[in-house]
Every structure is written in C-alpha cells, then in structure tokens.
Amino acid sequence: MDKQTEIELQAAAFRRLQKHLMEDRTDVQNIDMMNLAGFCRNCLSRWYQEAANEKGIKMGKDEARQIFYGMTMDEWKANYQTDASPEKQAAFKVAFEENVGKKD
C-alpha cells in the first residue's frame, strides 16, 4: 500500500471513530472511557491539537475540542455529561495520571 492511501485510510478510520463517539454513542461518558481505556474524547481532541501544532498550525485546547466535539465543551456537558460517582472520580484521577500525566 502506498503512503498516501495509508494516510487516507487512517484519516477515514479517525473520522469514523469521531462519528461513533460524537453521534452514535453520546451515552458513553468520557470518565468511563478514561477509566477503562486510558483515553477519552478530550484526549483525541488533544492529539488533534498536538498534530496541528506539530504542523505549525496554532491551535489551543478549546479550539481543538470545539473542532472534535462539533460544539463547545459547555454545550457537550449540558447535553450529554452526567454526574460521576465518587468512585469513578477517584478511578479517573489514577487513570489520568497514568495516561496523561499530573494535573498542573
């Protein structure tokens, strides 16, 4: 397979993952994804931001999230985010530190 085809297939798979998370499975909470898989929608938007920055495209966290989510974080939270139990919040702290790093 040539490199351009590989890139196009990877991009298509990413778009399908994004659609799945943003349209098909809005019921799946970010905290559950992070606790189980070590990444969530916010991680995907951060990776998008990092890729843009590596290409010399200035992009901040909020802009990347709005591009990935297709809405602001406030809109996402109001429409889809539910309260997390203390147990899930504790597990998230561990998962975040292990997979993303310590919060500033």
Side-chain angles (χ1 to χ4, degrees):
M1 176 182 317
D2 66 90
K3 190 67 174 170
Q4 184 59 37
T5 300
E6 181 181 0
I7 290 168
E8 291 170 8
L9 294 175
Q10 290 169 341
F14 176 82
R15 287 189 301 272
R16 183 61 188 98
L17 173 62
Q18 181 182 27
K19 179 187 181 304
H20 182 73
L21 293 173
M22 304 314 300
E23 296 176 22
D24 303 337
R25 292 306 309 267
T26 56
D27 60 312
V28 177
Q29 298 296 301
N30 277 340
I31 196 167
D32 295 326
M33 290 176 59
M34 183 59 105
N35 290 348
L36 293 171
F39 79 98
C40 66
R41 292 171 185 89
N42 292 336
C43 295
L44 290 165
S45 70
R46 181 173 44 85
W47 298 337
Y48 186 93
Q49 173 194 359
E50 290 170 355
N53 293 163
E54 287 173 11
K55 289 285 219 181
I57 301 167
K58 290 185 75 173
M59 181 180 296
K61 178 173 68 173
D62 291 337
E63 183 181 0
R65 284 184 176 178
Q66 188 157 354
I67 290 169
F68 186 83
Y69 280 79
M71 64 186 75
T72 66
M73 282 302 300
D74 288 341
E75 291 171 309
W76 174 265
K77 288 177 181 181
N79 290 321
Y80 304 109
Q81 188 167 308
T82 61
D83 291 334
S85 69
E87 294 80 16
K88 284 184 180 183
Q89 291 176 21
F92 174 81
K93 287 180 183 177
V94 173
F96 187 93
E97 188 171 318
E98 288 175 350
N99 294 286
V100 180
K102 294 183 187 247
K103 284 188 178 181
D104 295 331

